[in-house]
Amino acid sequence: LACIVTAFLWIYMMPYMSIMSPTPKAALSAVIVSAVVKNIVMPKKILQLKGNDFFVGVVTAVTTALTSPTIGFGVGVIVYSIVNMLVGGNKAKV
């Protein structure tokens, strides 16, 4: 019965689909915002970083929040490279 009701609803709503086309994007945006809003308000993992990592993390997070994820990632890589060159970075332990 649910399939039949859904099919008839879709058939009935077809003329209005051009009006409703932004709805899936809005629904997806709402799901994403609700999933990450608590980490934006209180970013625990960034606050746990120490020293240069904290600086790079904050710069990357702020840039990402103000621009786009691609630009934020690029700025984070550049800032990390500059900080690593200036401070002489620690060698990675394997």
Side-chain angles (χ1 to χ4, degrees):
L1 182 63
C3 295
I4 295 170
V5 171
T6 303
F8 281 124
L9 183 64
W10 274 104
I11 292 169
Y12 175 72
M13 297 300 289
M14 285 301 277
Y16 306 107
M17 285 301 157
S18 63
I19 297 170
M20 296 176 58
S21 64
T23 303
K25 289 181 184 177
L28 178 61
S29 298
V31 169
I32 291 171
V33 167
S34 67
V36 298
V37 73
K38 67 180 178 180
N39 290 326
I40 292 173
V41 173
M42 188 59 147
K44 293 179 184 176
K45 291 189 178 187
I46 292 177
L47 295 175
Q48 290 174 352
L49 297 173
K50 303 281 186 230
N52 295 332
D53 290 337
F54 177 77
F55 175 72
V56 173
V58 168
V59 169
T60 303
V62 169
T63 305
T64 302
L66 295 177
T67 59
S68 71
T70 305
I71 294 173
F73 177 76
V75 169
V77 169
I78 291 169
V79 170
Y80 174 78
S81 300
I82 291 171
V83 167
N84 204 18
M85 284 190 298
L86 292 176
V87 177
N90 298 332
K91 293 186 178 183
K93 296 178 182 178
V94 179

